Every structure is written in C-alpha cells, then in structure tokens.
Amino acid sequence: VQQQPPAPLGALVQVAEALEDVVRRCVGPRGGQVFFTKDTGEALITREGRRILTALQLDHPVARALVGCVSAHCVATGDGAKSFILLLAALLRGIRATGGSPVAGWRSSGQTDPCGRLEARRSACQLLSFQTQVLDAVVKEHVAPHATSLFSHTSPAEARRALRLLLEAFFRGRAGQVHCGLLAEMACDFYHRWNCERDRVGTLRMIRDHFPELHTSVTGFPTSKSRILQGLVLHRDLTVYCPAEGPTKAAVLHTALQPLLTEADSTLIISSSHQFHGWGTWVAGQVEQNVASLENLQVKLLLSAVKQTDLVLYHAKKAGMSVVECLDMEELSLFCRLSGVLPLTDLADLVDNAHVASVTFCQPVVLGSRRYTHVGIPEGRDFLPHCLVLCGPAEGLTNQCVSAFGDAIRENLFYSNTLIEPGAVLPAGGAFEFLLHHYLLKYTSRTHCPDTQAACRLVAEALLSLPRQVYAHSGTGGHFLKVYTSFVSRIQSGEPARPVSLGPEGLESVACKYDLLVSVLQCLGRLLSVDAIIHTTALLRLYTEEDLN
Amino acid sequence: MALNAEDEEFDWEPPSEAEMKVIQARRERQDKISKLMGDYLLKGYKMLGETCGQCETILLQDRQKKNYCVACQELDSDVDKDNPALNAQAALSQVRERQLAAQDSPQVGGASSGDSSLSVSGLPRPEHCEGAASGLRGPLLAPPAPAAPASVPGLTSCNVATVPKPVRPIQTPVPAPAHTQHPAVSCAEEALLQKLRWAAQELQQSTAVEASAQLCGLIRSCAESLRSLKELQQP
C-alpha cells in the first residue's frame, strides 16, 4: 500500500479537459456518434455520454472518481453525463484562472505545497456553502417564475404539444436528429395511452420501475417500425396453444402441478414394482384433479414460472388450456400487479377465485426472429396497460433507443426535486443557463461579500460553456453570441415574470438542469478536498455494518 | 479563492502584453494536449495515474503496455523553445537582447545563416535566419505537426527505434556557419563512412535474413545522413 500526495489542481484540470474533449464531439443536436469495437468483434455505436465514459480505459484515480460521479448522477436522473463533464471542466478552469498568478501557477511543480491544497480546500467549502445559501435562493426566486408547467395547460392539445416539444428536445440529444421526431411522438402516445392523468405519479413510477418488462427490443429492423401494443408481451412462447375467442381467465403458477416424487435431501426406497405402479397412478390422479379444478374456475391460460411436466401439458391440452412456461419472476409480478391477482403458490388454493385473472385476449406474436405471447389486460382502476416494441438496425442502436426511452420517462416526466415542481420546463437551447447567468451577475452587485461575488462569477461564467458548446456545431460561428445578446435584451426589456421563449427548439426540464448543476458542484467539492490517494494492490473488501457486528 | 482589489496585502496588476502572449500560448498548448489526449483515449489508450517526469503531463499507455507522453513526443517542447542551444529563434533573441543591452552600433548587413551564440556578425534579419535555420534542420527533424508515434530520424524520440542507429550525425546543437568545413561535420562524415564500410562488410558475411535487412537499413540511414551532411556544407 503506497500513499501519494493528492492530485494538484493542474492534474485535475488536465483530466477534466481530456474527458471533456472526448464527450465534446457528441454534444448537441448536430454532435456525432462514437463507434467502439472490441477485439471480440462486438461493435457499439453511441452518443450517450455515460456509455462513452465507462468504455474508456482510465487508471487515473481522479478520472475514475469523476466517471463514478457521472454514472451515479445518470442512474438517478437519467441523463446529463456530457453536460456534467463540460460544466465540471469549465468550473475547474475558472478556479485555476482565479487562484494565484496565472503565469506562475501553470506548470509549477510546487502544487504539492500546502498553500495550494488549502486554497483548493477552501474553494471546495465555499462552493458548497454557495450552493445552499445563494444558488438555491436565486433559482427559486428568479429562474423558476420564468418556467411554464407541463401539466397545467388547460387544453389537452396544448399539453400534448408541450410534452412533445419536451421529449423531442430530449431525444434529439440522445438519439440524433433523424429519429427524434418519431421517438418523441411514440413517447407522447405511450404516455397518453396509459391514461396517466388519473394517478400520474403512481403510474409513472410503475412504468419507470418495470420498464425492462414493458418493452421488447427487436434488432434488424429500421427504427420506424417501432410501435405500441396494447396489453403486455410476455417474453416466452406458448408451449401449448389452444386458440380461444374473446376474454378468458388466466392463473399464475409458481409451483408445478404435478406433485414431486421426493423432497430434496431425502431418499425414496421402492421395495416393489407394485409400489411404483401405485405411486404412478396416484400422481396421474392428482394431476387430473388439479387440472380439473382449474377447469372449474374456467381458466384457459396458465402462466407458469416453472417448467411443467409432460403429463400436465397433456391434460391441459385436453382441457383446452394454453400454457406458457418458464416466465421471469419480474414479468409475472408485473402481470399480477396489472391485473390485481395473487400468484398460486399452494395447490390448496386452487379453489379460490382470487387467484384468477381475466385477460381480454391471448395470442402468439412474432417480433423480429422470436415468437412471444401477447396478452391483453383489461383496463385497471387508474391505467390501461400498453407495451412498446422498439426496433433498431443494429444491437447498439437498438439499445441506445431503449435506454433513451427509459430515461425520457424517468427524467422528464417523473423527476422533481424539493425546489422545483415536476413538469416545470424552459425552452431548450440555453434558456436556463442564460437566465441563471444573468441573475447571478445581478446578485454580485447586491452582495458585499467578496467570496460570494467570486463564486457567483465563477459559476455564471462556467454555465455559459454549455450553450456555447451546443451552438458551436452549427454553421455560423457567431450564433451563440447572437442568441445570447438577443436574449439579454429581451430579458432586460420585458417583465420578469413572463416566460421566455427562444424559438421552436423544444423544451427542457428545469429540475433536471438544476440538479445537474448541484451534482457538479458537489462532485467538484469532493475532488478538491481529497487529502491523499492510496494505491492498493489487493481488491478492497467493503465491510457493511452487519459484518462488523 | 478570489483576488480582491481591496486586499492591501497583495498588489495585483493586470498582466502586461508580453505576459498575456505567454498566457495565451500556454493555454493553446494546453488545449492541444487535451485534444491529443482525447483522441488517444478514444483510440483505446489507457490513462495512467502517473505524470511525465519532464512536463507533468498525464501519461497514456497503449495496447502494448508502452507508456506515452503526448506533450514530449508530439508537441514541440515548451522548454526547448527558450533554450538557445536548441532553437535558432531563441538564440537570435538572446543575441539581440545582449546587443541592445551593450548598445552595440555596427550593423553589418548580409546576414550569415548561422545563429551560433559564439560568433555574431551584425544583426541578422529574422526571416533570413529562419529560412537558413530551417534549411539546416530540414530533412533531419520531424515536422512539428503531431505525427504518429513512429520513430523518426529526429532530434528527440522517446520511442525505441527498431533499427539501432549507431550514429546520429546532426545531434550537434549548434548549426554551423556554412562556408567553412566545421570540424564536427568532417568528424561526423568520417564516422559515417567508417560505419558504412563496416556495415557493408557485415552484410557480405551475414547469412540471416533479419540481420541482413537490419544492415541494409543501417546503410540506408548512413547514406541519408551523409547526404544531409553534404547539404549542410553548402550555403
């Protein structure tokens, strides 16, 4: 185990700038994609910041800490890896520029001196207190009033249009210019078909939690073939298929219908063939009885988590029941939740009606090269279940589509924090950054503390790096300045409470943008206050509290 | 964190124009380093936790486990720019400064090509000097634009050359004035011819293919070096 002094500010900036250069190529609606290949021949095309960063090989401890922070942020909010890195690099550059004489401090190897560390640590503490004391207040009082709410539109057509703009901007960043319209339309459709309005939070939470079960990804087809299906697609084929017209009943089984020969860890001694035959007859009788009980409950579809034996399948076919075996536990639990039934774990419950669900239809469906089971679920109390079929030409692109969709739901519709209500949106293309920049600079003139002033200026300058990067890819070089100056003139002439619009670029969620800024400031604080870096050669075993007790 | 104008203990003036240029140059250099590092990371290089001993840049490691420093090996070294022994321009500015300080008057026109810090003949014009200096350096140095990390017959190369060159003739830091045969140049020529003879003998006796190929490479580089030496001798 060896210990070394912490990374000086120069190294932090270098790491951040190298990562910034990597993600910068993919930022904005006109950014490119990165094509990764592995030695095994696997290929991955992506412009998702988190995927790119985790695919890089990084041994530097600061770089790994950074990528860890970014991943944690993305898991919580669903997006923002590239903006995270851009903002962090801009803040680090700002700190380096203000701390000490720029010429001497550049490549002085004396960054390990205690003054440098203390200074960095002070900056870290200052930024964190700045965020809680000043930034929160500025955002709540000045920036939030400019935002409009997605969910407060009076006419449903308006609300739908607003949602579409929000999702289109999101998909333009994640999936590129080509497919963003289609995916946004589908997402809007999906949201409305679920009838989320009755219990928005609960339904969205369910969609978010069960998104892996609610979608099917199909490789080998163009993205335009993606569609929404009513009901649920179970990712197994029907073992026994007896076509039935109209609504039927279904039962969810967690056990086998045929009684087991023995329990585990026990020995069965058969003393004669007569005994064996007797046992066989008894088992057959039990199976017939079980299937007959199911038939009495008018069950025509068996959804089983385990594999059923051939005898069971034979009897089921005789009774005209369709059987699906070896289903995932998560899918079955989603099915139970959507239809409001309990799964059958004990065969004694076979007479109980509470375990029987009604389905509107059941049929096999071919998606791509596989056959799945498509069941229709009647309308529940608060929602009408639908599921997605997402297509893509190659596996990497399909996965990109899928993750973009999942994150869209998670971030845009569901996300909220304590300061800003869910659904508060601003026009995309830099409105949030411009507004916050403007109000932070105004705040510096009102406050007298020099540290706060410096922090305000630092954050305000760093914020502008995001729209600058987005507009950098567009044709005209001066586009950013044009937009910025027109915005400033509008904000200074207009009334403060009127919502600002920058053009039909789409919308973005204010809560997510603000949380990104907070995450960046906290990550920065953590990086700057590292005291020592310890290299270990053995794998660290992390002890939990239970282990220690 | 902030540098306050009100703080009386520390007087801070805005940087002068020269300092601004230095800051600007350093910033551009840093940008170039970041861009190169980003390119290599995307190519599959690994970012190590160590820094280069000379320039404090973070080291990269390629698939063959070889360490690589983007600043030392691709960009012109920042330090060498100011070293008069390695850079014609730096030597020139040093000379000019000395002259200005000593208030020397004779300004002989017709500059010589040399920039030797030992001998000075008047105030050479920069563009003439630069041209001559680049002519002196010409086929010997790698172009300053970032090249692939292959070994080039240049002044600085941290990579291990595949063909060990026994002699690097133009390692002499002082590009000599061209009219007279500089003793270093003739010495270098002699050494080269000697090596050439030895290599030719070895080649006649060699039976292995690899060794023969390496000897041929050696002969080729000796010939190139000789040609460069000849060019040195011409004005």
Side-chain angles (χ1 to χ4, degrees), chain B residues 79-204:
Chain B
V79 184
D80 288 348
K81 210 167 49 160
D82 302 325
N83 186 355
L86 284 172
N87 187 329
Q89 199 66 20
L92 170 63
S93 32
Q94 194 183 59
V95 157
R96 237 188 269 147
E97 279 166 26
R98 227 184 270 161
Q99 282 202 327
L100 281 171
Q103 295 284 332
D104 254 322
S105 42
Q107 302 222 352
V108 180
S112 85
S113 54
D115 274 328
S116 149
S117 47
L118 313 164
S119 66
V120 144
S121 49
L123 206 60
R125 283 190 297 272
E127 57 279 2
H128 188 95
C129 250
E130 198 51 62
S134 62
L136 286 171
R137 282 178 175 185
L140 313 169
L141 290 175
S151 62
V152 287
L155 273 184
T156 55
S157 171
C158 301
N159 290 340
V160 175
T162 46
V163 178
K165 296 198 175 57
V167 153
R168 287 178 175 270
I170 317 298
Q171 275 287 338
T172 54
V174 180
H179 299 289
T180 57
Q181 183 96 346
H182 203 273
V185 175
S186 52
C187 181
E189 251 188 73
E190 278 235 12
L192 272 175
L193 289 168
Q194 214 176 10
K195 269 292 172 244
L196 206 57
R197 244 173 265 131
W198 171 83
Q201 276 172 2
E202 285 294 310
L203 190 60
Q204 274 179 351

Side-chain angles (χ1 to χ4, degrees), chain B residues 42-59:
Chain B
L42 281 174
K43 278 194 201 147
Y45 279 49
K46 195 194 281 200
M47 183 194 273
L48 296 177
E50 300 143 10
T51 51
C52 172
Q54 292 156 10
C55 59
E56 302 280 325
T57 321
I58 296 177
L59 286 173

Side-chain angles (χ1 to χ4, degrees), chain A residues 463-545:
Chain A
L463 275 170
L464 284 188
S465 69
L466 283 175
R468 213 174 263 141
Q469 198 56 47
V470 168
Y471 288 115
H473 284 294
S474 64
T476 54
H479 196 194
F480 165 74
L481 285 176
K482 209 163 47 163
V483 174
Y484 179 56
T485 44
S486 75
F487 172 85
V488 165
S489 59
R490 211 176 319 167
I491 231 306
Q492 278 169 351
S493 63
E495 283 165 20
R498 186 164 298 152
V500 175
S501 80
L502 280 174
E505 288 264 343
L507 303 169
E508 54 193 15
S509 159
V510 181
C512 294
K513 291 242 122 183
Y514 181 60
D515 263 353
L516 177 73
L517 181 59
V518 169
S519 296
V520 171
L521 287 174
Q522 287 184 350
C523 176
L524 189 59
R526 215 181 295 171
L527 282 178
L528 286 175
S529 46
V530 166
D531 282 323
I533 300 180
I534 302 177
H535 289 277
T536 55
T537 44
L539 215 58
L540 273 183
R541 188 161 157 242
L542 298 171
Y543 289 96
T544 60
E545 282 189 7

Side-chain angles (χ1 to χ4, degrees), chain A residues 168-224:
Chain A
E168 206 172 301
F170 177 81
F171 280 116
R172 195 180 292 129
R174 290 292 288 266
Q177 190 75 21
V178 181
H179 298 301
C180 64
L182 166 77
L183 288 172
E185 188 63 51
M186 240 173 74
C188 261
D189 221 0
F190 190 63
Y191 173 76
H192 283 105
R193 284 210 205 177
W194 267 85
N195 277 338
C196 288
E197 294 301 321
R198 288 182 227 167
D199 173 24
R200 194 187 323 126
V201 178
T203 315
L204 281 175
R205 184 178 287 131
M206 183 163 62
I207 299 180
R208 179 196 70 170
D209 293 338
H210 291 278
F211 187 70
E213 289 83 48
L214 280 172
H215 81 274
T216 314
S217 59
V218 178
T219 338
F221 286 90
T223 314
S224 49

Side-chain angles (χ1 to χ4, degrees), chain A residues 29-66:
Chain A
R30 291 189 188 78
Q33 313 223 26
V34 179
F35 181 55
F36 286 107
T37 48
K38 264 178 150 172
D39 287 338
T40 52
E42 267 174 66
L44 168 71
I45 304 178
T46 179
R47 62 204 310 262
E48 203 184 319
R50 183 167 151 233
R51 276 272 174 88
I52 298 173
L53 287 172
T54 44
L56 294 176
Q57 297 196 344
L58 300 166
D59 256 0
H60 199 283
V62 170
R64 288 184 31 176
L66 248 184

Side-chain angles (χ1 to χ4, degrees), chain A residues 428-451:
Chain A
F432 177 77
E433 285 86 18
F434 291 149
L435 278 172
L436 193 51
H437 172 91
H438 175 80
Y439 286 114
L440 277 177
L441 288 182
K442 258 172 84 169
Y443 192 85
T444 56
S445 53
R446 289 210 318 249
T447 182
H448 299 293
C449 168
D451 282 343

Side-chain angles (χ1 to χ4, degrees), chain A residues 17-94:
Chain A
E17 282 190 337
L19 293 179
E20 179 195 26
D21 187 78
V22 168
V23 296
R24 198 207 307 237
R25 301 142 199 256
C26 311
V27 164
R30 291 189 188 78
Q33 313 223 26
V34 179
F35 181 55
F36 286 107
T37 48
K38 264 178 150 172
D39 287 338
T40 52
E42 267 174 66
L44 168 71
I45 304 178
T46 179
R47 62 204 310 262
E48 203 184 319
R50 183 167 151 233
R51 276 272 174 88
I52 298 173
L53 287 172
T54 44
L56 294 176
Q57 297 196 344
L58 300 166
D59 256 0
H60 199 283
V62 170
R64 288 184 31 176
L66 248 184
V67 173
C69 286
V70 169
S71 300
H73 175 85
C74 286
V75 163
T77 62
D79 193 28
K82 293 178 285 212
S83 316
F84 194 106
I85 297 278
L86 289 176
L87 205 47
L88 188 74
L91 281 169
L92 277 170
R93 276 197 289 263

